Amino acid sequence: QVRLAESGGGSVQAGGSLRLSCVISGYDYHNLCMGWFRQTPGSGREGVAQFLTGGGGTFYPASMKDRKDRFTVSHDRAKKTVYLQMDNLTPDDTALYFCAAHGAPEYCSGDYFREGLFGFWGPGTRVTVSS
């Protein structure tokens, strides 16, 4: 059973930065497909980025092209923690951010980056950006 716990959200002014963290426990960290998602009121979850803890690059969906240069995913294997660094934040970045995981690395590519494949979710951390 994978357990995920996000932190790092908060309220910032436009132009500010936040680093979200997601601590992972209960599973082989080296074989997880991790995703970051965001959700705004009245909308479903939207994929932000996906990567495989065992290695490989980060996939950003086309819908995130305007954020790709401002959002950076990284992880610390020793701490079993993944991060989402968000810079130059704008009010449009306001959302509830989730990390998610599944244990099927063969489905950790852009073709399979969708909410339904992720079986494990953290409770989310809220980001509010004011103008």
Side-chain angles (χ1 to χ4, degrees):
Q1 180 78 11
V2 179
R3 292 179 291 277
L4 307 174
E6 305 96 336
S7 63
S11 297
V12 297
Q13 291 190 323
S17 297
L18 286 172
R19 187 177 76 161
L20 308 184
S21 301
C22 174
V23 178
I24 302 159
S25 60
Y27 200 81
D28 179 6
Y29 178 82
H30 299 289
N31 202 33
L32 280 173
C33 184
M34 299 299 303
W36 282 102
F37 291 80
R38 63 192 298 272
Q39 185 174 25
T40 55
S43 300
R45 290 170 180 167
E46 178 184 30
V48 174
Q50 173 182 265
F51 73 100
L52 183 64
T53 57
T58 300
F59 171 77
Y60 297 89
S63 59
M64 288 292 119
K65 65 177 182 178
D66 293 336
R67 294 184 170 91
K68 183 178 179 179
D69 291 338
R70 300 187 292 112
F71 287 15
T72 304
V73 173
S74 62
H75 65 123
D76 185 324
R77 290 187 175 89
K79 295 182 179 179
K80 296 184 179 181
T81 302
V82 301
Y83 303 99
L84 178 64
Q85 176 69 40
M86 304 186 296
D87 298 317
N88 195 21
L89 287 160
T90 74
D92 286 342
D93 297 321
T94 295
L96 184 62
Y97 285 77
F98 299 89
C99 68
H102 68 74
E106 66 273 24
Y107 294 109
C108 198
S109 67
D111 291 341
Y112 301 103
F113 186 31
R114 52 186 180 270
E115 177 185 359
L117 280 179
F118 289 83
F120 304 101
W121 293 82
T125 185
R126 188 167 301 279
V127 172
T128 303
V129 185
S130 58
S131 58

